[in-house]
Amino acid sequence: MGESAVNPQIEESWKEVLASEFAAPYFAKLKAFLVEEKKQYRIYPPGSLIFNAFNSTPFPKVRVVLLGQDPYHGPGQAHGLCFSVPRGVPQPPSLVNIFKELHDDLEIPIPSHGNLEKWAGQGVLLLNATLTVRAHQAGSHQKRGWETFTDASLLALSKYRTGLVFLLWGAYAQAKGQLIDTSKHLVLKAPHPSPLSVHRGFFGCKHFSKTNDYLRHLGYPEIDWTI
């Protein structure tokens, strides 16, 4: 993790938008917590990738926001983009189900890997509410300050941008809907794509085509959901 956790290296447009967060007392506490955690445990993702979602999708380029909860906590999985894994890492179950819905919705072939960087490069902000996790301990960095930081990110997008699509899958993400001005943005909600809930309405939600319909209606380019 090293210096990147202590002195966040984040893309300039986001650094400007979130400057007051980095200066806030809670963020200093969060940094101190991460420094101590790093002394005792392995933390995911690597320090240089903690802000990967922001660095991959600058604030003015965001067109879609996909909100996750926690980074993956297994070795080599987390790389700072929600639901995504690096090439060569097996697709986790939720991502498998996302690709199934994508195939059913838009007839996009099921990919052989799980790296969603191509989405991020087109303006899909792949944001986890909590940006770090202790190895093999899901949820271990929740309620330490990250949620305040990522809520501020969502509020800034809602306030300063218009015509964005927010994809909120599962109860945790859906609760964040209260941060979004629905008179300016499209909020799409569905059950989480995990095997435990996918059959309650994630399959068949058609969020990928609905996103593109909305963007097209506003005169914006559609997302190419192939990876």
Side-chain angles (χ1 to χ4, degrees):
M1 184 176 304
E3 288 301 308
S4 56
V6 181
N7 301 300
Q9 301 297 310
I10 194 169
E11 191 274 331
E12 285 300 319
S13 63
W14 280 109
K15 184 178 285 188
E16 184 175 340
V17 167
L18 298 172
S20 61
E21 304 303 311
F22 289 121
Y26 84 85
F27 203 84
K29 288 183 180 179
L30 172 60
K31 288 191 289 186
F33 165 73
L34 291 173
V35 168
E36 288 304 310
E37 281 283 285
K38 179 64 176 173
K39 292 176 182 177
Q40 303 177 63
Y41 306 102
R42 182 175 294 278
I43 305 302
Y44 299 135
S48 61
L49 296 177
I50 290 173
F51 294 105
N52 196 17
F54 300 96
N55 295 336
S56 299
T57 313
F59 186 81
K61 301 286 181 67
V62 175
R63 296 192 288 151
V64 179
V65 180
L66 176 54
L67 188 66
Q69 186 168 0
D70 263 306
Y72 295 122
H73 53 85
Q77 290 182 306
H79 66 142
L81 305 176
C82 74
F83 293 107
S84 179
V85 290
R87 285 178 180 266
V89 176
Q91 298 171 7
S94 291
L95 188 56
V96 170
N97 288 333
I98 289 169
F99 290 150
K100 286 180 181 176
E101 174 59 23
L102 184 58
H103 177 264
D104 290 344
D105 186 7
L106 292 172
E107 298 184 356
I108 288 174
I110 304 276
S112 60
H113 65 92
N115 190 327
L116 304 180
E117 288 177 345
K118 185 178 173 186
W119 292 3
Q122 296 179 78
V124 181
L125 180 67
L126 298 167
L127 183 64
N128 278 315
T130 301
L131 297 186
T132 55
V133 70
R134 192 184 295 171
H136 309 297
Q137 296 188 40
S140 48
H141 285 186
Q142 291 177 7
K143 299 181 173 61
R144 294 289 184 166
W146 279 132
E147 295 92 339
T148 304
F149 179 78
T150 52
D151 280 359
S153 309
L154 295 171
L155 284 165
L157 287 164
S158 178
K159 181 177 181 179
Y160 298 116
R161 300 289 312 280
T162 58
L164 303 183
V165 182
F166 292 82
L167 303 178
L168 306 181
W169 297 341
Y172 181 87
Q174 289 172 22
K176 303 290 186 179
Q178 64 185 350
L179 304 172
I180 311 305
D181 183 347
T182 54
S183 70
K184 298 167 58 182
H185 306 284
L186 176 64
V187 174
L188 296 175
K189 298 181 179 181
H192 196 277
S194 89
L196 296 174
S197 55
V198 69
H199 291 287
R200 297 179 195 155
F202 180 81
F203 284 153
C205 71
K206 298 190 180 301
H207 279 186
F208 303 102
S209 59
K210 289 176 180 177
T211 294
N212 280 348
D213 289 345
Y214 180 77
L215 294 173
R216 187 171 59 248
H217 177 73
L218 294 178
Y220 299 146
E222 299 178 29
I223 302 296
D224 175 5
W225 294 105
T226 61
I227 65 167

